[in-house]
């Protein structure tokens, strides 16, 4: 606790009382009004406990308990102020060169099957303003399925879905072959849809390439280069208008919206739908100067991220941050996108839930490993003098003593995981002299939770034995009898061609390192730390999608 309870603002402290009379334990919601708290709150008694503090309040005698963890996490000033995920705060503002050739993208099947990939995609939408899903099935209406993986479609006068293709009597320039410069969609709505999806079904026309501009970056440049123009655009209400036979939409909002702390929070920019400003003449002059300056920034070549949507691509982007564009295309050619609007709040929430679930699953995974070490791990290890658990803990201890990076210590700790569990990779098979491919099964089981820096040295630790037998004359002589016995089943020493192939693997050296700790970890007398000692290392390396 950085601050003593006595110094904390009392109304704030009491408002956050977690007791079941103040908050419904079933849902955490508050059960009282701020007006029901005594205006003259005071601390009657404060008692430190093992886990935090207990407070008796005057004048009403209420008792509150606050955990040390809560007090630290919520200390006034902790966390750098309001955590609004909408503002520029904490986002990566970009120019085209920073993303060219490195678009945030994933395949649809990976996105659906791997929660870490999904989290990465959603995080890109929040942090960079967009992500691109590839190989989304080219079916009409598929864009709904994409939207439903993180939120809800926002229906508008264009429908639940809109077709972007050439139409005979277009109510919007989007439905022609015309070039469309960087813009926000639907700025004439209040609220403006915060997300847009564009799913490409066909793109066979000449032209029709896509462009994205980071509108926050453009606004930040304006703020740096012409602060007065920036300020003017944050306070001038611009009339955005849309009308057709059945629709009249109007919203009067600034081109750049800032939050209470002056941080850029929304950009609305669309040359097609700005109506007639009604302002005194001198204000009109300064507005038009600032508007032009901002427009010129949005058109700077270095801000234009250009790419071509291919059939199956689905672009998901923050419509109140990024400006999107397309080049003109041949109206006789086939080009068909399906679009939908959705909102950021649901996407942000979906990501938070995904992370929460992943954190719980990660804890369970590590608990499961701990149980394996205690349970099956106590079994003998293939005719060695040590148990499986002793062997792996000793290997990890050697890695740690050698100052190896965390990932290699974890690889050493888990290198024989493939020996655990189940008939396919059972130790019995191994004793019969059949290679159980335990290095591969172990690595594959670890891949859900660790990156290649852990899985690949595990995968290579058997090959590394065969490699060392081939390249180090006295290595074979140092192998334990059991290890010599299994060598044959594993393929014997490597041939020169296999040696070359092994050495080409980027994890070759790590595989050899794990192998050497493996060989040293068969001493029945050697002390080794408990599994719990390595737990923080494991937890720190889990792929959580953060
Ligand atoms: C739109 C639009 C982009 C495109 O429909 O508003 O910007 O690539 N379309 O056609
Ligand atoms: Zn558009
Ligand atoms: Zn081993």
């Amino acid at each position: 606790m950085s601050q003593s309870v006595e110094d904390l603002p009392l109304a704030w402290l009491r408002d956050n009382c977690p007791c079941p009379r103040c908050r419904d334990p079933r849902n955490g919601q508050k059960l009282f009004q701020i007006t029901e708290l005594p205006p003259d709150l005071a601390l009657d008694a404060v008692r430190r406990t093992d886990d935090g503090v207990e407070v008796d309040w005057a004048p009403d005698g209420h008792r509150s308990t606050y955990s040390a963890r809560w007090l630290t996490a919520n200390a006034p000033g902790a966390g750098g102020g309001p955590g609004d995920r909408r503002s520029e705060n904490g986002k990566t503002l970009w120019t085209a060169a920073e993303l060219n050739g490195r678009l945030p993208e994933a395949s649809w099947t990976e996105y659906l099957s791997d929660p870490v990939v999904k989290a990465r995609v959603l995080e890109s939408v929040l942090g960079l303003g967009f992500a691109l899903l590839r190989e989304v099935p080219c079916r009409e209406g598929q864009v709904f399925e994409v939207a439903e993986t993180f939120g809800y479609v926002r229906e508008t006068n264009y429908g639940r879905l809109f077709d972007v293709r050439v139409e005979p009597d277009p109510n919007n320039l989007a439905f022609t072959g015309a070039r469309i410069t960087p813009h926000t969609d639907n700025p004439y709505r209040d609220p403006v849809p915060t997300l847009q999806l564009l799913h490409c079904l066909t793109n066979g026309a000449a032209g029709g390439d896509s462009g994205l501009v980071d509108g926050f970056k453009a606004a930040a440049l304006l703020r740096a280069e012409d602060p007065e123009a920036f300020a003017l655009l944050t306070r001038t209400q611009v009339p955005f208008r849309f009308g057709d036979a059945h629709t009249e939409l109007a919203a009067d909002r600034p081109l750049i919206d800032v939050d209470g702390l002056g941080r850029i929070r929304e950009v609305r920019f669309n040359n097609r739908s700005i109506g007639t400003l009604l302002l005194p003449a001198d204000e009109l002059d300064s507005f038009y100067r600032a508007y032009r300056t901002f427009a010129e920034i949005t058109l700077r070549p270095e801000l234009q991220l250009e790419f071509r949507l291919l059939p199956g691509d689905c672009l998901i982007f923050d419509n109140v941050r990024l400006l999107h564009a397309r080049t003109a295309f041949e109206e006789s050619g086939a080009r068909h996108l399906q679009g939908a609007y959705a909102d950021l709040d649901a996407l942000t929430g979906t990501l938070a839930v995904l992370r929460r679930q992943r954190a719980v699953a990660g804890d369970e995974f590590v608990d499961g490993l701990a149980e394996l070490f205690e349970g099956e791990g106590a079994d003998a290890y293939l005719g060695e003098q040590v148990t499986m658990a002793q062997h792996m803990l000793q290997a990890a201890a050697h890695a740690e003593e050698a100052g190896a990076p965390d990932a290699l210590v974890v690889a050493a700790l888990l290198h024989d995981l493939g020996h655990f569990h189940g008939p396919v990779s059972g130790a019995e098979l191994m004793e019969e002299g059949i290679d159980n491919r335990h290095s591969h099964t172990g690595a594959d089981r670890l891949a859900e939770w660790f990156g290649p820096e852990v899985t690949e040295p595990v995968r290579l630790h058997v090959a590394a034995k065969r490699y060392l037998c081939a390249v180090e004359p006295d290595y074979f002589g140092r192998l334990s009898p059991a290890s010599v016995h299994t060598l044959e089943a594993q393929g014997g020493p490597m041939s020169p061609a296999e040696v070359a192939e092994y050495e080409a693997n980027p994890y070759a050296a790590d595989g050899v390192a794990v192998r050497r700790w493996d060989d040293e970890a068969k001493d029945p007398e050697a002390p080794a730390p408990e599994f719990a000692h390595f737990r923080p290392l494991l937890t720190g390396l889990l792929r959580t999608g953060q």
Side-chain angles (χ1 to χ4, degrees), residues 162-165 172-176 178 180-181 183-186 196 198 203 208-211 270 272 309 315 317 319 324-327 329 335 337 339 341:
F162 51 92
D163 286 289
V164 186
R165 64 183 160 197
N172 191 310
L173 278 183
F175 312 137
T176 71
I180 303 185
T181 52
H183 66 282
T184 309
D185 263 22
N186 293 208
Q196 180 172 173
L198 285 173
N203 200 1
D209 289 345
S210 299
N270 191 322
R272 283 172 285 156
L309 288 179
L315 183 63
F317 63 96
N319 183 53
H324 62 291
R326 68 148 192 251
T327 60
F329 65 93
R335 185 177 192 273
L337 314 183
Y341 299 117

Side-chain angles (χ1 to χ4, degrees), residues 368-433:
L369 289 177
E371 279 166 29
L372 279 179
F373 271 73
E374 278 160 28
E376 262 185 82
D379 294 350
Y381 171 43
L382 297 182
E384 304 284 359
Q385 298 298 304
V386 286
T387 66
M388 294 279 290
Q390 273 178 313
H391 169 63
M392 306 223 282
L393 291 165
Q394 282 182 19
H398 288 310
E400 203 169 46
E401 281 156 25
D406 290 357
L408 266 191
V409 177
V410 169
L413 179 70
L414 302 177
H415 74 273
D416 278 336
L417 188 74
H419 278 314
F420 284 121
H421 248 24
V424 206
S425 58
E428 299 89 346
L429 284 178
M430 194 72 180
E431 279 168 353
E432 284 165 21

Side-chain angles (χ1 to χ4, degrees), residues 92-94 128 212-219 303 321-323:
T92 309
L93 276 46
W94 48 263
L128 296 172
L212 288 174
V213 169
D214 186 352
F216 280 14
K217 178 75 178 181
L303 294 195
R321 169 178 172 188
L322 298 198
L323 310 179

